[in-house]
Amino acid sequence: MKVKGIARETLEFILSVSRSSAPNEFAGLLQAEEGVITEVLILPGTESSDQNAVIKLFMMPNVSSVGSVHSHPGSIITPSKADLRLFGKTGSHHIIVGAPYDENSWQCYNADGEPIDLPVLDVELDEPEII
């Protein structure tokens, strides 16, 4: 799926959760609808500390992801070697956020760890159904 951008509401959720998790890292997988990243899937068993966040990919349900998202406890948002290993397994778009966890402290990368532009889109998201 070609990714056109990320919903502003989804980015705000990512920044908020990253801020509230600090100094521990936050991690999840990105899901898209019609080319727009609209959801963050947090897998059961994800481990988080101030050093890293470990996503247990074997816990992933039968759904697809377009990439990953995680926070760094400081302001450096370049991918580490461990980040690059994860990038290669989870899709084409990978967001890293860092302190102060605001609209200017994140970057999207491709699977090779090269920065890519990810437009923030003002789209209306559907309310989740409660069954």
Side-chain angles (χ1 to χ4, degrees):
M1 170 186 302
K2 178 163 174 41
V3 174
K4 299 182 278 191
I6 184 169
R8 183 173 308 280
E9 190 175 320
T10 305
L11 179 60
E12 288 169 356
F13 168 79
I14 290 167
L15 295 170
S16 175
V17 172
S18 297
R19 193 178 310 111
S20 66
S21 298
N24 288 348
E25 289 193 13
F26 154 76
L29 298 177
L30 301 171
Q31 294 186 288
E33 289 181 29
E34 298 177 11
V36 178
I37 296 170
T38 56
E39 293 185 34
V40 178
L41 178 63
I42 300 171
L43 295 180
T46 297
E47 297 174 1
S48 182
S49 73
D50 61 354
Q51 299 294 311
N52 61 18
V54 178
I55 297 176
K56 306 223 187 244
L57 291 175
F58 67 88
M59 296 293 287
M60 187 165 167
N62 190 17
V63 295
S64 62
S65 74
V66 294
S68 65
V69 59
H70 74 279
S71 62
H72 283 177
S75 60
I76 297 172
I77 55 173
T78 54
S80 66
K81 288 181 182 171
D83 293 341
L84 294 173
R85 285 192 295 275
L86 175 67
F87 289 4
K89 298 176 185 174
T90 56
S92 60
H93 287 70
H94 306 278
I95 297 172
I96 299 177
V97 300
Y101 311 106
D102 63 21
E103 63 277 355
N104 299 312
S105 60
W106 66 282
Q107 177 64 56
C108 188
Y109 298 91
N110 66 17
D112 295 322
E114 298 162 342
I116 55 175
D117 185 45
L118 184 66
V120 179
L121 305 173
D122 290 310
V123 295
E124 189 152 331
L125 301 181
D126 293 334
E127 290 296 318
E129 286 184 37
I130 300 175
I131 299 174

